[in-house]
Amino acid sequence: TSIDPDTSFGRPGVGLELLFGYTPTLNQFSTDLSLPQSYSHRLIGREQVVSQMERALTAGSSVILMGDPGVGKKTIVLEFAHRAAAGGLGKTMAYRRVLEFDYNALLSEATDLNLKKTKLAQVFEEAAVAGNIILAIRDIHRLTNSQVEGYDFTDAVTQVLEKGELKIIAIATPSDYERFITANLRLRKFFERVVATAPTKDEALLILV
């Protein structure tokens, strides 16, 4: 998982953060996967999945990373975050911060439905205006399908994606995708599917070493 020195842009300078907007609300409800303490992972194999994610995001699409439970989707996202923060991806993804959005905390804090939607839109707007953020969202169908928890904030999600100022890495299982996302054409058109398969036996042994 070492970074190729020929494609690495190196660590960003100390003053780089001054170029990007403040995100006070987003910071309350997110975890920065780009920080070194988040790198409690070990990616063995599946580097091609990280490359597929990079290509899709660079081309302007958001990504739905699909895989069965326990296949290592979080590890793949952490690796992507590590490479982006270290300048190990192409120049479009260099110095991007990958933040995992804790929408459960946001939705539980607000009681009124309109207030929930307002806060959600505020988080997306802050992330978009910052200009260097990619949001990682687990189980995005819980936000965009009223059959799951009674919420359908598809409008809030698609409005910010329509502007092209924010990219999202959604994380889903194949069954949840087929059941809750496939029919949501307004949402689905912004995402490219990337499949995370289980490691091979040899790769699994290396992970355990």
Side-chain angles (χ1 to χ4, degrees), residues 25-35 37-39 74 77-78 81 97-103 105 133-138:
T25 306
L26 175 59
N27 291 346
Q28 294 178 50
F29 302 106
S30 65
T31 301
D32 192 340
L33 302 182
S34 303
L35 296 176
Q37 56 262 35
S38 297
Y39 299 160
K74 180 65 175 288
V77 175
L78 282 169
R97 296 170 61 208
V98 180
L99 304 187
E100 184 173 12
F101 177 33
D102 183 5
Y103 58 81
I133 289 174
I134 298 171
L135 283 187
I137 304 179
R138 289 176 176 268

Side-chain angles (χ1 to χ4, degrees), residues 47-132:
E47 283 84 0
Q48 75 278 6
V49 178
V50 175
S51 296
Q52 287 178 323
M53 291 169 61
E54 178 194 356
R55 286 195 297 270
L57 291 162
T58 299
S61 296
S62 287
V63 165
I64 290 186
L65 180 63
M66 294 172 52
D68 292 324
V71 79
K73 297 185 293 295
K74 180 65 175 288
T75 298
I76 291 169
V77 175
L78 282 169
E79 180 66 18
F80 182 91
H82 168 66
R83 294 187 186 185
L89 300 177
K91 63 180 181 180
T92 302
M93 292 293 110
Y95 313 134
R96 294 290 183 118
R97 296 170 61 208
V98 180
L99 304 187
E100 184 173 12
F101 177 33
D102 183 5
Y103 58 81
N104 287 312
L106 183 147
L107 295 178
S108 63
E109 180 182 89
T111 54
D112 179 74
L113 184 61
N114 288 329
L115 184 56
K116 293 178 193 288
K117 188 171 183 178
T118 299
K119 281 211 161 190
L120 191 64
Q122 185 176 359
V123 164
F124 290 147
E125 184 65 18
E126 286 183 2
V129 170
N132 69 328

Side-chain angles (χ1 to χ4, degrees), residues 107 113 116-117 120 143-144 151-158:
L107 295 178
L113 184 61
K116 293 178 193 288
K117 188 171 183 178
L120 191 64
L143 279 175
T144 57
Y151 301 124
D152 186 352
F153 297 122
T154 298
D155 285 346
V157 178
T158 56

Side-chain angles (χ1 to χ4, degrees), residues 14 20 42 54 66 78 88-89 102 109 126 128 136 138 145 161 172 179 182 186 191 208:
V14 174
F20 303 109
R42 189 179 181 204
E54 178 194 356
M66 294 172 52
L78 282 169
L89 300 177
D102 183 5
E109 180 182 89
E126 286 183 2
R138 289 176 176 268
N145 192 303
L161 293 178
R179 185 177 179 186
T182 298
R186 288 191 299 151
F191 288 87
L208 295 173

